[in-house]
mmCIF file of all heavy atoms in Angstrom:
data_model
loop_
_atom_site.group_PDB
_atom_site.id
_atom_site.type_symbol
_atom_site.label_atom_id
_atom_site.label_comp_id
_atom_site.label_asym_id
_atom_site.label_seq_id
_atom_site.Cartn_x
_atom_site.Cartn_y
_atom_site.Cartn_z
ATOM 1 N N MET D 1 -27.773 -4.220 32.167
ATOM 2 C CA MET D 1 -29.100 -4.424 32.720
ATOM 3 C C MET D 1 -29.092 -4.293 34.248
ATOM 4 O O MET D 1 -30.062 -3.831 34.822
ATOM 5 C CB MET D 1 -29.600 -5.799 32.283
ATOM 6 C CG MET D 1 -31.037 -6.025 32.574
ATOM 7 S SD MET D 1 -32.021 -4.920 31.569
ATOM 8 C CE MET D 1 -33.622 -5.331 32.121
ATOM 9 N N THR D 2 -27.982 -4.699 34.849
ATOM 10 C CA THR D 2 -27.925 -4.586 36.305
ATOM 11 C C THR D 2 -27.817 -3.122 36.740
ATOM 12 O O THR D 2 -28.278 -2.769 37.824
ATOM 13 C CB THR D 2 -26.739 -5.369 36.873
ATOM 14 O OG1 THR D 2 -25.540 -4.880 36.290
ATOM 15 C CG2 THR D 2 -26.895 -6.848 36.597
ATOM 16 N N SER D 3 -27.202 -2.290 35.894
ATOM 17 C CA SER D 3 -27.103 -0.881 36.263
ATOM 18 C C SER D 3 -28.482 -0.219 36.226
ATOM 19 O O SER D 3 -28.760 0.677 37.020
ATOM 20 C CB SER D 3 -26.141 -0.152 35.331
ATOM 21 O OG SER D 3 -26.619 -0.184 34.002
ATOM 22 N N LEU D 4 -29.337 -0.650 35.305
ATOM 23 C CA LEU D 4 -30.692 -0.115 35.250
ATOM 24 C C LEU D 4 -31.483 -0.523 36.490
ATOM 25 O O LEU D 4 -32.223 0.297 37.054
ATOM 26 C CB LEU D 4 -31.397 -0.610 33.986
ATOM 27 C CG LEU D 4 -32.788 -0.066 33.727
ATOM 28 C CD1 LEU D 4 -32.725 1.438 33.509
ATOM 29 C CD2 LEU D 4 -33.404 -0.743 32.530
ATOM 30 N N ALA D 5 -31.304 -1.744 36.943
ATOM 31 C CA ALA D 5 -31.988 -2.203 38.152
ATOM 32 C C ALA D 5 -31.456 -1.484 39.391
ATOM 33 O O ALA D 5 -32.146 -1.387 40.400
ATOM 34 C CB ALA D 5 -31.811 -3.713 38.309
ATOM 35 N N PHE D 6 -30.265 -0.958 39.312
ATOM 36 C CA PHE D 6 -29.678 -0.233 40.433
ATOM 37 C C PHE D 6 -30.059 1.247 40.403
ATOM 38 O O PHE D 6 -30.350 1.844 41.435
ATOM 39 C CB PHE D 6 -28.152 -0.398 40.373
ATOM 40 C CG PHE D 6 -27.422 0.303 41.471
ATOM 41 C CD1 PHE D 6 -27.512 -0.136 42.784
ATOM 42 C CD2 PHE D 6 -26.642 1.412 41.192
ATOM 43 C CE1 PHE D 6 -26.837 0.516 43.797
ATOM 44 C CE2 PHE D 6 -25.962 2.072 42.197
ATOM 45 C CZ PHE D 6 -26.062 1.614 43.496
ATOM 46 N N LEU D 7 -30.060 1.856 39.206
ATOM 47 C CA LEU D 7 -30.291 3.284 39.094
ATOM 48 C C LEU D 7 -31.762 3.673 39.118
ATOM 49 O O LEU D 7 -32.093 4.782 39.536
ATOM 50 C CB LEU D 7 -29.654 3.813 37.810
ATOM 51 C CG LEU D 7 -28.134 3.801 37.785
ATOM 52 C CD1 LEU D 7 -27.634 4.236 36.422
ATOM 53 C CD2 LEU D 7 -27.579 4.688 38.859
ATOM 54 N N LEU D 8 -32.634 2.818 38.672
ATOM 55 C CA LEU D 8 -34.058 3.146 38.647
ATOM 56 C C LEU D 8 -34.636 3.365 40.049
ATOM 57 O O LEU D 8 -35.310 4.379 40.268
ATOM 58 C CB LEU D 8 -34.832 2.064 37.889
ATOM 59 C CG LEU D 8 -36.285 2.370 37.595
ATOM 60 C CD1 LEU D 8 -36.395 3.579 36.687
ATOM 61 C CD2 LEU D 8 -36.956 1.185 36.960
ATOM 62 N N PRO D 9 -34.399 2.502 41.022
ATOM 63 C CA PRO D 9 -34.902 2.797 42.371
ATOM 64 C C PRO D 9 -34.269 4.041 42.993
ATOM 65 O O PRO D 9 -34.932 4.767 43.737
ATOM 66 C CB PRO D 9 -34.531 1.552 43.187
ATOM 67 C CG PRO D 9 -34.325 0.485 42.203
ATOM 68 C CD PRO D 9 -33.838 1.151 40.960
ATOM 69 N N ILE D 10 -33.013 4.305 42.668
ATOM 70 C CA ILE D 10 -32.372 5.509 43.191
ATOM 71 C C ILE D 10 -33.034 6.750 42.613
ATOM 72 O O ILE D 10 -33.309 7.717 43.328
ATOM 73 C CB ILE D 10 -30.862 5.487 42.882
ATOM 74 C CG1 ILE D 10 -30.188 4.401 43.716
ATOM 75 C CG2 ILE D 10 -30.223 6.833 43.152
ATOM 76 C CD1 ILE D 10 -28.736 4.194 43.410
ATOM 77 N N ALA D 11 -33.319 6.736 41.308
ATOM 78 C CA ALA D 11 -33.978 7.876 40.674
ATOM 79 C C ALA D 11 -35.387 8.075 41.221
ATOM 80 O O ALA D 11 -35.818 9.208 41.460
ATOM 81 C CB ALA D 11 -34.021 7.680 39.163
ATOM 82 N N LEU D 12 -36.116 7.010 41.428
ATOM 83 C CA LEU D 12 -37.461 7.124 41.999
ATOM 84 C C LEU D 12 -37.413 7.631 43.436
ATOM 85 O O LEU D 12 -38.244 8.440 43.850
ATOM 86 C CB LEU D 12 -38.180 5.777 41.933
ATOM 87 C CG LEU D 12 -38.609 5.329 40.532
ATOM 88 C CD1 LEU D 12 -39.167 3.915 40.586
ATOM 89 C CD2 LEU D 12 -39.608 6.287 39.943
ATOM 90 N N GLY D 13 -36.433 7.180 44.196
ATOM 91 C CA GLY D 13 -36.279 7.650 45.575
ATOM 92 C C GLY D 13 -35.934 9.126 45.639
ATOM 93 O O GLY D 13 -36.467 9.866 46.474
ATOM 94 N N MET D 14 -35.063 9.581 44.734
ATOM 95 C CA MET D 14 -34.718 11.001 44.706
ATOM 96 C C MET D 14 -35.911 11.850 44.278
ATOM 97 O O MET D 14 -36.112 12.951 44.784
ATOM 98 C CB MET D 14 -33.543 11.232 43.766
ATOM 99 C CG MET D 14 -32.237 10.708 44.304
ATOM 100 S SD MET D 14 -30.871 10.889 43.154
ATOM 101 C CE MET D 14 -30.729 12.652 43.071
ATOM 102 N N GLY D 15 -36.716 11.333 43.361
ATOM 103 C CA GLY D 15 -37.925 12.051 42.955
ATOM 104 C C GLY D 15 -38.926 12.158 44.083
ATOM 105 O O GLY D 15 -39.547 13.202 44.276
ATOM 106 N N LEU D 16 -39.077 11.098 44.844
ATOM 107 C CA LEU D 16 -39.990 11.134 45.990
ATOM 108 C C LEU D 16 -39.478 12.072 47.082
ATOM 109 O O LEU D 16 -40.272 12.749 47.736
ATOM 110 C CB LEU D 16 -40.188 9.719 46.547
ATOM 111 C CG LEU D 16 -41.061 8.805 45.694
ATOM 112 C CD1 LEU D 16 -41.089 7.399 46.300
ATOM 113 C CD2 LEU D 16 -42.460 9.351 45.563
ATOM 114 N N CYS D 17 -38.164 12.131 47.268
ATOM 115 C CA CYS D 17 -37.602 13.075 48.243
ATOM 116 C C CYS D 17 -37.843 14.514 47.805
ATOM 117 O O CYS D 17 -38.165 15.372 48.635
ATOM 118 C CB CYS D 17 -36.110 12.823 48.418
ATOM 119 S SG CYS D 17 -35.742 11.355 49.371
ATOM 120 N N GLY D 18 -37.705 14.790 46.520
ATOM 121 C CA GLY D 18 -37.978 16.129 46.011
ATOM 122 C C GLY D 18 -39.441 16.502 46.149
ATOM 123 O O GLY D 18 -39.770 17.640 46.489
ATOM 124 N N LEU D 19 -40.325 15.558 45.888
ATOM 125 C CA LEU D 19 -41.755 15.803 46.044
ATOM 126 C C LEU D 19 -42.117 16.036 47.506
ATOM 127 O O LEU D 19 -42.910 16.920 47.825
ATOM 128 C CB LEU D 19 -42.549 14.628 45.476
ATOM 129 C CG LEU D 19 -44.052 14.790 45.365
ATOM 130 C CD1 LEU D 19 -44.397 15.901 44.387
ATOM 131 C CD2 LEU D 19 -44.694 13.486 44.910
ATOM 132 N N ALA D 20 -41.509 15.283 48.400
ATOM 133 C CA ALA D 20 -41.747 15.473 49.830
ATOM 134 C C ALA D 20 -41.230 16.838 50.292
ATOM 135 O O ALA D 20 -41.882 17.511 51.096
ATOM 136 C CB ALA D 20 -41.081 14.354 50.628
ATOM 137 N N ALA D 21 -40.088 17.264 49.770
ATOM 138 C CA ALA D 21 -39.552 18.584 50.128
ATOM 139 C C ALA D 21 -40.457 19.694 49.618
ATOM 140 O O ALA D 21 -40.655 20.706 50.289
ATOM 141 C CB ALA D 21 -38.144 18.744 49.565
ATOM 142 N N PHE D 22 -41.029 19.519 48.424
ATOM 143 C CA PHE D 22 -41.953 20.514 47.886
ATOM 144 C C PHE D 22 -43.199 20.620 48.752
ATOM 145 O O PHE D 22 -43.642 21.717 49.085
ATOM 146 C CB PHE D 22 -42.335 20.161 46.452
ATOM 147 C CG PHE D 22 -43.432 21.025 45.903
ATOM 148 C CD1 PHE D 22 -43.188 22.341 45.574
ATOM 149 C CD2 PHE D 22 -44.710 20.516 45.731
ATOM 150 C CE1 PHE D 22 -44.206 23.146 45.075
ATOM 151 C CE2 PHE D 22 -45.729 21.302 45.238
ATOM 152 C CZ PHE D 22 -45.474 22.623 44.910
ATOM 153 N N PHE D 23 -43.777 19.493 49.142
ATOM 154 C CA PHE D 23 -44.974 19.531 49.979
ATOM 155 C C PHE D 23 -44.666 20.069 51.366
ATOM 156 O O PHE D 23 -45.498 20.727 51.982
ATOM 157 C CB PHE D 23 -45.640 18.157 50.060
ATOM 158 C CG PHE D 23 -46.412 17.800 48.832
ATOM 159 C CD1 PHE D 23 -46.191 16.607 48.175
ATOM 160 C CD2 PHE D 23 -47.375 18.652 48.321
ATOM 161 C CE1 PHE D 23 -46.904 16.279 47.041
ATOM 162 C CE2 PHE D 23 -48.098 18.337 47.193
ATOM 163 C CZ PHE D 23 -47.864 17.148 46.547
ATOM 164 N N TRP D 24 -43.462 19.807 51.884
ATOM 165 C CA TRP D 24 -43.055 20.353 53.178
ATOM 166 C C TRP D 24 -42.974 21.879 53.100
ATOM 167 O O TRP D 24 -43.432 22.584 53.993
ATOM 168 C CB TRP D 24 -41.717 19.750 53.586
ATOM 169 C CG TRP D 24 -41.188 20.300 54.865
ATOM 170 C CD1 TRP D 24 -41.598 19.977 56.126
ATOM 171 C CD2 TRP D 24 -40.159 21.286 55.018
ATOM 172 N NE1 TRP D 24 -40.869 20.691 57.046
ATOM 173 C CE2 TRP D 24 -39.986 21.509 56.390
ATOM 174 C CE3 TRP D 24 -39.371 21.986 54.117
ATOM 175 C CZ2 TRP D 24 -39.058 22.402 56.883
ATOM 176 C CZ3 TRP D 24 -38.444 22.889 54.609
ATOM 177 C CH2 TRP D 24 -38.299 23.083 55.975
ATOM 178 N N ALA D 25 -42.377 22.403 52.021
ATOM 179 C CA ALA D 25 -42.270 23.852 51.848
ATOM 180 C C ALA D 25 -43.644 24.470 51.634
ATOM 181 O O ALA D 25 -43.910 25.579 52.098
ATOM 182 C CB ALA D 25 -41.359 24.179 50.670
ATOM 183 N N LEU D 26 -44.511 23.782 50.951
ATOM 184 C CA LEU D 26 -45.867 24.267 50.735
ATOM 185 C C LEU D 26 -46.632 24.332 52.053
ATOM 186 O O LEU D 26 -47.350 25.302 52.320
ATOM 187 C CB LEU D 26 -46.588 23.349 49.743
ATOM 188 C CG LEU D 26 -47.894 23.814 49.155
ATOM 189 C CD1 LEU D 26 -47.672 25.053 48.298
ATOM 190 C CD2 LEU D 26 -48.501 22.711 48.312
ATOM 191 N N LYS D 27 -46.437 23.349 52.908
ATOM 192 C CA LYS D 27 -47.102 23.314 54.208
ATOM 193 C C LYS D 27 -46.576 24.404 55.142
ATOM 194 O O LYS D 27 -47.323 24.970 55.936
ATOM 195 C CB LYS D 27 -46.892 21.941 54.851
ATOM 196 C CG LYS D 27 -47.578 21.759 56.162
ATOM 197 C CD LYS D 27 -47.318 20.376 56.724
ATOM 198 C CE LYS D 27 -47.912 20.227 58.086
ATOM 199 N NZ LYS D 27 -47.586 18.931 58.685
ATOM 200 N N ARG D 28 -45.290 24.742 55.026
ATOM 201 C CA ARG D 28 -44.672 25.762 55.876
ATOM 202 C C ARG D 28 -44.963 27.181 55.405
ATOM 203 O O ARG D 28 -44.535 28.127 56.033
ATOM 204 C CB ARG D 28 -43.160 25.566 55.926
ATOM 205 C CG ARG D 28 -42.735 24.286 56.554
ATOM 206 C CD ARG D 28 -42.789 24.391 58.024
ATOM 207 N NE ARG D 28 -42.292 23.157 58.613
ATOM 208 C CZ ARG D 28 -41.984 23.045 59.871
ATOM 209 N NH1 ARG D 28 -42.107 24.060 60.673
ATOM 210 N NH2 ARG D 28 -41.572 21.899 60.343
ATOM 211 N N GLY D 29 -45.636 27.345 54.260
ATOM 212 C CA GLY D 29 -45.995 28.669 53.785
ATOM 213 C C GLY D 29 -44.932 29.351 52.958
ATOM 214 O O GLY D 29 -44.901 30.572 52.862
ATOM 215 N N GLN D 30 -44.038 28.586 52.359
ATOM 216 C CA GLN D 30 -42.966 29.157 51.555
ATOM 217 C C GLN D 30 -43.503 29.870 50.320
ATOM 218 O O GLN D 30 -42.922 30.849 49.874
ATOM 219 C CB GLN D 30 -42.011 28.040 51.128
ATOM 220 C CG GLN D 30 -40.812 28.508 50.365
ATOM 221 C CD GLN D 30 -39.806 29.221 51.228
ATOM 222 O OE1 GLN D 30 -39.713 28.971 52.415
ATOM 223 N NE2 GLN D 30 -39.054 30.102 50.629
ATOM 224 N N PHE D 31 -44.609 29.408 49.778
ATOM 225 C CA PHE D 31 -45.147 29.959 48.548
ATOM 226 C C PHE D 31 -46.412 30.772 48.788
ATOM 227 O O PHE D 31 -47.207 30.967 47.877
ATOM 228 C CB PHE D 31 -45.457 28.825 47.565
ATOM 229 C CG PHE D 31 -44.273 27.935 47.301
ATOM 230 C CD1 PHE D 31 -44.250 26.639 47.786
ATOM 231 C CD2 PHE D 31 -43.195 28.398 46.588
ATOM 232 C CE1 PHE D 31 -43.177 25.820 47.547
ATOM 233 C CE2 PHE D 31 -42.107 27.587 46.348
ATOM 234 C CZ PHE D 31 -42.095 26.290 46.827
ATOM 235 N N SER D 32 -46.589 31.301 49.982
ATOM 236 C CA SER D 32 -47.836 31.998 50.302
ATOM 237 C C SER D 32 -47.875 33.423 49.746
ATOM 238 O O SER D 32 -48.940 33.923 49.426
ATOM 239 C CB SER D 32 -48.048 32.031 51.813
ATOM 240 O OG SER D 32 -47.010 32.750 52.433
ATOM 241 N N ASP D 33 -46.732 34.093 49.627
ATOM 242 C CA ASP D 33 -46.712 35.477 49.155
ATOM 243 C C ASP D 33 -45.749 35.606 47.983
ATOM 244 O O ASP D 33 -44.612 36.034 48.134
ATOM 245 C CB ASP D 33 -46.294 36.415 50.284
ATOM 246 C CG ASP D 33 -46.381 37.874 49.885
ATOM 247 O OD1 ASP D 33 -47.114 38.186 48.948
ATOM 248 O OD2 ASP D 33 -45.698 38.694 50.524
ATOM 249 N N LEU D 34 -46.198 35.235 46.798
ATOM 250 C CA LEU D 34 -45.338 35.297 45.627
ATOM 251 C C LEU D 34 -45.237 36.705 45.068
ATOM 252 O O LEU D 34 -44.227 37.076 44.478
ATOM 253 C CB LEU D 34 -45.858 34.352 44.547
ATOM 254 C CG LEU D 34 -45.827 32.868 44.921
ATOM 255 C CD1 LEU D 34 -46.443 32.047 43.816
ATOM 256 C CD2 LEU D 34 -44.417 32.414 45.193
ATOM 257 N N ASP D 35 -46.271 37.537 45.231
ATOM 258 C CA ASP D 35 -46.243 38.891 44.687
ATOM 259 C C ASP D 35 -45.459 39.850 45.576
ATOM 260 O O ASP D 35 -44.963 40.863 45.095
ATOM 261 C CB ASP D 35 -47.667 39.416 44.511
ATOM 262 C CG ASP D 35 -48.419 38.648 43.447
ATOM 263 O OD1 ASP D 35 -47.761 38.173 42.505
ATOM 264 O OD2 ASP D 35 -49.655 38.525 43.558
ATOM 265 N N GLY D 36 -45.339 39.565 46.844
ATOM 266 C CA GLY D 36 -44.615 40.458 47.749
ATOM 267 C C GLY D 36 -43.139 40.538 47.419
ATOM 268 O O GLY D 36 -42.549 41.617 47.430
ATOM 269 N N ALA D 37 -42.520 39.419 47.114
ATOM 270 C CA ALA D 37 -41.103 39.429 46.772
ATOM 271 C C ALA D 37 -40.866 40.109 45.433
ATOM 272 O O ALA D 37 -39.830 40.747 45.232
ATOM 273 C CB ALA D 37 -40.569 38.004 46.741
ATOM 274 N N ALA D 38 -41.805 39.994 44.520
ATOM 275 C CA ALA D 38 -41.652 40.641 43.217
ATOM 276 C C ALA D 38 -41.801 42.158 43.342
ATOM 277 O O ALA D 38 -41.122 42.908 42.643
ATOM 278 C CB ALA D 38 -42.678 40.093 42.242
ATOM 279 N N ALA D 39 -42.650 42.626 44.221
ATOM 280 C CA ALA D 39 -42.851 44.063 44.391
ATOM 281 C C ALA D 39 -41.787 44.682 45.292
ATOM 282 O O ALA D 39 -41.538 45.884 45.219
ATOM 283 C CB ALA D 39 -44.231 44.340 44.969
ATOM 284 N N ARG D 40 -41.153 43.888 46.127
ATOM 285 C CA ARG D 40 -40.149 44.408 47.060
ATOM 286 C C ARG D 40 -38.931 44.970 46.338
ATOM 287 O O ARG D 40 -38.258 45.872 46.823
ATOM 288 C CB ARG D 40 -39.733 43.297 48.023
ATOM 289 C CG ARG D 40 -39.060 43.789 49.250
ATOM 290 C CD ARG D 40 -38.807 42.669 50.247
ATOM 291 N NE ARG D 40 -40.025 41.906 50.510
ATOM 292 C CZ ARG D 40 -40.085 40.572 50.469
ATOM 293 N NH1 ARG D 40 -39.017 39.868 50.185
ATOM 294 N NH2 ARG D 40 -41.210 39.946 50.730
ATOM 295 N N ILE D 41 -38.633 44.464 45.155
ATOM 296 C CA ILE D 41 -37.473 44.954 44.410
ATOM 297 C C ILE D 41 -37.712 46.366 43.898
ATOM 298 O O ILE D 41 -36.769 47.114 43.641
ATOM 299 C CB ILE D 41 -37.126 43.982 43.263
ATOM 300 C CG1 ILE D 41 -35.754 44.268 42.673
ATOM 301 C CG2 ILE D 41 -38.171 44.040 42.170
ATOM 302 C CD1 ILE D 41 -34.635 43.971 43.568
ATOM 303 N N LEU D 42 -38.967 46.766 43.763
ATOM 304 C CA LEU D 42 -39.285 48.087 43.233
ATOM 305 C C LEU D 42 -39.309 49.173 44.294
ATOM 306 O O LEU D 42 -39.348 50.356 43.966
ATOM 307 C CB LEU D 42 -40.641 48.035 42.521
ATOM 308 C CG LEU D 42 -40.729 47.049 41.356
ATOM 309 C CD1 LEU D 42 -42.147 46.990 40.844
ATOM 310 C CD2 LEU D 42 -39.767 47.431 40.268
ATOM 311 N N ILE D 43 -39.277 48.810 45.570
ATOM 312 C CA ILE D 43 -39.319 49.785 46.653
ATOM 313 C C ILE D 43 -37.960 50.462 46.770
ATOM 314 O O ILE D 43 -36.924 49.814 46.859
ATOM 315 C CB ILE D 43 -39.709 49.101 47.979
ATOM 316 C CG1 ILE D 43 -41.102 48.505 47.873
ATOM 317 C CG2 ILE D 43 -39.623 50.091 49.125
ATOM 318 C CD1 ILE D 43 -41.489 47.651 49.057
ATOM 319 N N ASP D 44 -37.968 51.780 46.777
ATOM 320 C CA ASP D 44 -36.735 52.553 46.853
ATOM 321 C C ASP D 44 -36.427 52.870 48.310
ATOM 322 O O ASP D 44 -37.160 53.606 48.975
ATOM 323 C CB ASP D 44 -36.894 53.842 46.042
ATOM 324 C CG ASP D 44 -35.579 54.569 45.862
ATOM 325 O OD1 ASP D 44 -34.522 53.910 45.975
ATOM 326 O OD2 ASP D 44 -35.626 55.789 45.620
ATOM 327 N N ASP D 45 -35.337 52.342 48.815
ATOM 328 C CA ASP D 45 -34.904 52.593 50.189
ATOM 329 C C ASP D 45 -33.920 53.756 50.194
ATOM 330 O O ASP D 45 -32.742 53.612 49.892
ATOM 331 C CB ASP D 45 -34.238 51.362 50.794
ATOM 332 C CG ASP D 45 -35.220 50.225 50.989
ATOM 333 O OD1 ASP D 45 -36.415 50.518 51.118
ATOM 334 O OD2 ASP D 45 -34.780 49.059 51.023
ATOM 335 N N GLU D 46 -34.409 54.942 50.554
ATOM 336 C CA GLU D 46 -33.536 56.114 50.556
ATOM 337 C C GLU D 46 -32.627 56.149 51.782
ATOM 338 O O GLU D 46 -31.614 56.820 51.769
ATOM 339 C CB GLU D 46 -34.383 57.381 50.458
ATOM 340 C CG GLU D 46 -35.095 57.501 49.138
ATOM 341 C CD GLU D 46 -35.863 58.793 49.026
ATOM 342 O OE1 GLU D 46 -35.710 59.658 49.910
ATOM 343 O OE2 GLU D 46 -36.641 58.915 48.080
ATOM 344 N N GLU D 47 -32.975 55.452 52.855
ATOM 345 C CA GLU D 47 -32.139 55.438 54.036
ATOM 346 C C GLU D 47 -30.807 54.762 53.768
ATOM 347 O O GLU D 47 -29.786 55.129 54.337
ATOM 348 C CB GLU D 47 -32.830 54.714 55.193
ATOM 349 C CG GLU D 47 -34.125 55.346 55.627
ATOM 350 C CD GLU D 47 -35.288 54.444 55.324
ATOM 351 O OE1 GLU D 47 -35.094 53.230 55.173
ATOM 352 O OE2 GLU D 47 -36.415 54.952 55.241
ATOM 353 N N ASP D 48 -30.777 53.747 52.913
ATOM 354 C CA ASP D 48 -29.544 53.030 52.631
ATOM 355 C C ASP D 48 -28.616 53.828 51.718
ATOM 356 O O ASP D 48 -27.412 53.624 51.730
ATOM 357 C CB ASP D 48 -29.856 51.689 51.976
ATOM 358 C CG ASP D 48 -30.584 50.757 52.940
ATOM 359 O OD1 ASP D 48 -30.480 50.988 54.155
ATOM 360 O OD2 ASP D 48 -31.227 49.809 52.479
ATOM 361 N N ILE D 49 -29.149 54.754 50.932
ATOM 362 C CA ILE D 49 -28.314 55.509 49.997
ATOM 363 C C ILE D 49 -27.506 56.586 50.721
ATOM 364 O O ILE D 49 -26.321 56.754 50.490
ATOM 365 C CB ILE D 49 -29.199 56.157 48.897
ATOM 366 C CG1 ILE D 49 -29.863 55.053 48.075
ATOM 367 C CG2 ILE D 49 -28.383 57.068 48.007
ATOM 368 C CD1 ILE D 49 -30.886 55.579 47.087
ATOM 369 N N HIS D 50 -28.127 57.292 51.654
ATOM 370 C CA HIS D 50 -27.461 58.369 52.391
ATOM 371 C C HIS D 50 -27.271 57.955 53.841
ATOM 372 O O HIS D 50 -28.186 58.067 54.647
ATOM 373 C CB HIS D 50 -28.287 59.653 52.334
ATOM 374 C CG HIS D 50 -28.595 60.089 50.942
ATOM 375 N ND1 HIS D 50 -27.634 60.594 50.107
ATOM 376 C CD2 HIS D 50 -29.758 60.090 50.237
ATOM 377 C CE1 HIS D 50 -28.184 60.900 48.946
ATOM 378 N NE2 HIS D 50 -29.472 60.588 49.002
ATOM 379 N N PRO D 51 -26.066 57.496 54.208
ATOM 380 C CA PRO D 51 -25.858 57.064 55.608
ATOM 381 C C PRO D 51 -25.791 58.200 56.599
ATOM 382 O O PRO D 51 -25.488 59.284 56.382
ATOM 383 C CB PRO D 51 -24.529 56.325 55.558
ATOM 384 C CG PRO D 51 -23.861 56.749 54.303
ATOM 385 C CD PRO D 51 -24.910 57.286 53.396
#
């Protein structure tokens, strides 16, 4: 029972840290262009193939 009283606040604290990190990344614009990264893989860079 004492381990539950010890681990529960730690788990809640880690969850709050993860939520804070998500909102920080959202505020910094990390998720603003989700389609650009998906389309970037399809662009053929011919300059890199022939040096």
Side-chain angles (χ1 to χ4, degrees):
M1 191 66 182
T2 58
S3 63
L4 184 64
F6 180 69
L7 291 175
L8 189 63
I10 291 175
L12 289 174
M14 289 176 66
L16 286 176
C17 286
L19 189 64
F22 172 72
F23 283 127
W24 177 77
L26 192 64
K27 183 180 175 184
R28 296 280 183 167
Q30 184 73 27
F31 305 110
S32 62
D33 185 22
L34 296 176
D35 293 329
R40 198 174 309 131
I41 193 68
L42 301 174
I43 298 172
D44 191 22
D45 293 335
E46 294 183 8
E47 299 113 22
D48 294 339
I49 296 173
H50 304 289

